[in-house]
Amino acid sequence: METCYINSPLGVTKIEGDEDGIISISVLNNNELADYNEGETDNLSFPRKWESKEKLTDIIPEILQDCVYQLNEYFEGKREYFSLKLNPQGTDFQQKVWKALQTIPYGTTTTYLKLSQQLGDVKAIRAVANANGKNPLWIVIPCHRVIGSDGSLTGYAGGLHRKQWLLEHESPYKQQSLF
C-alpha cells in the first residue's frame, strides 16, 4: 500500500491506496498531526495554511497522483465530481451506504432518514448513520452532505467545523463577508 500526505484548507490529508484503488482519505487531527510532525503543532483547528497543490510528501506515489490532483481541483472550486478507482474496505451494508452517498449531488444535502428510506429500510437510520461515520474516503464519498432531519449539522468524524466548511465550499450561494 502507498501513502502520501498533502495540505488542504482543512488540514493535513492522508491518502492511502494500491493498484486496486484508493483505500483511505482522511484529514489528520492535531493528535495525529503531532505524530506526523514529531510533536510540532500549532493547536489550530486547521493546522496548516493551505496553498494550492502544496504537498508534504516529497514524491507522490504514481498510484495516488490522480487522487491528489482531483482533491486539489475540488479545493480550488474546479471539481464537483470525482472519477477515481475506489477500494474502501467495509461490510456489505457499509458498502451499500457508501455507494448511496455517492449519489448525493454536489452542493446539496440529504438527511439520514431520507438516506435510510432510499436504502429501503427507514428503521435502519442508526445503522446508516453508523456506516456514514465509518466512511474511509473523506470528501470523495461525500458523507458531509448528510444532515439531521431538522437541518442541523450532526456527527462528522472530521469535526463539525470541517463539515460546515465543506458544505459552505460546495454551496451555490456564497456568503460574502461584510467586513
Side-chain angles (χ1 to χ4, degrees):
M1 179 165 25
E2 301 286 349
T3 303
C4 73
Y5 297 86
I6 63 169
N7 272 327
S8 80
L10 299 176
V12 175
T13 302
K14 179 180 181 180
I15 304 167
E16 297 176 299
D18 59 24
E19 61 278 345
D20 294 324
I22 303 299
I23 295 167
S24 172
I25 302 171
S26 59
V27 63
L28 302 184
N29 292 314
N30 282 344
N31 59 337
E32 297 165 308
L33 186 61
D35 293 340
Y36 175 77
N37 283 335
E38 299 175 1
E40 298 176 22
T41 65
D42 56 15
N43 293 320
L44 296 175
S45 297
F46 308 133
R48 295 192 179 263
K49 181 178 183 294
W50 181 72
E51 294 179 22
S52 176
K53 299 180 180 73
E54 183 179 353
K55 60 185 191 246
L56 299 173
T57 300
D58 289 332
I59 299 173
I60 305 294
E62 185 175 345
I63 207 140
L64 304 177
Q65 288 176 1
D66 194 35
C67 183
V68 169
Y69 179 79
Q70 290 188 36
L71 282 170
N72 279 325
E73 283 187 327
Y74 170 85
F75 286 120
E76 292 168 357
K78 298 176 182 175
R79 176 172 290 274
E80 297 181 0
Y81 173 80
F82 292 92
S83 57
L84 297 167
K85 185 177 177 184
L86 305 178
N87 188 23
Q89 305 298 302
T91 67
D92 289 344
F93 181 76
Q94 288 170 336
Q95 297 281 349
K96 186 177 174 183
V97 171
W98 298 338
K99 212 166 251 327
L101 290 171
Q102 293 177 72
T103 68
I104 306 169
Y106 180 95
T108 66
T109 59
T110 193
T111 66
Y112 293 101
L113 179 60
K114 286 181 184 174
L115 192 58
S116 62
Q117 289 170 334
Q118 179 184 339
L119 292 167
D121 187 357
V122 71
K123 293 179 182 176
I125 189 168
R126 287 189 179 182
V128 167
N130 188 39
N132 191 55
K134 293 192 181 322
N135 170 23
L137 292 167
W138 182 61
I139 299 175
V140 173
I141 295 180
C143 57
H144 61 278
R145 296 180 189 153
V146 184
I147 60 174
S149 293
D150 62 358
S152 63
L153 297 184
T154 57
Y156 188 64
L160 290 180
H161 60 289
R162 289 188 177 111
K163 183 173 190 167
Q164 181 176 353
W165 189 97
L166 291 166
L167 293 174
E168 288 173 1
H169 175 71
E170 294 182 1
S171 174
Y173 309 104
K174 302 294 182 200
Q175 177 69 37
Q176 297 209 356
S177 174
L178 298 175
F179 304 100

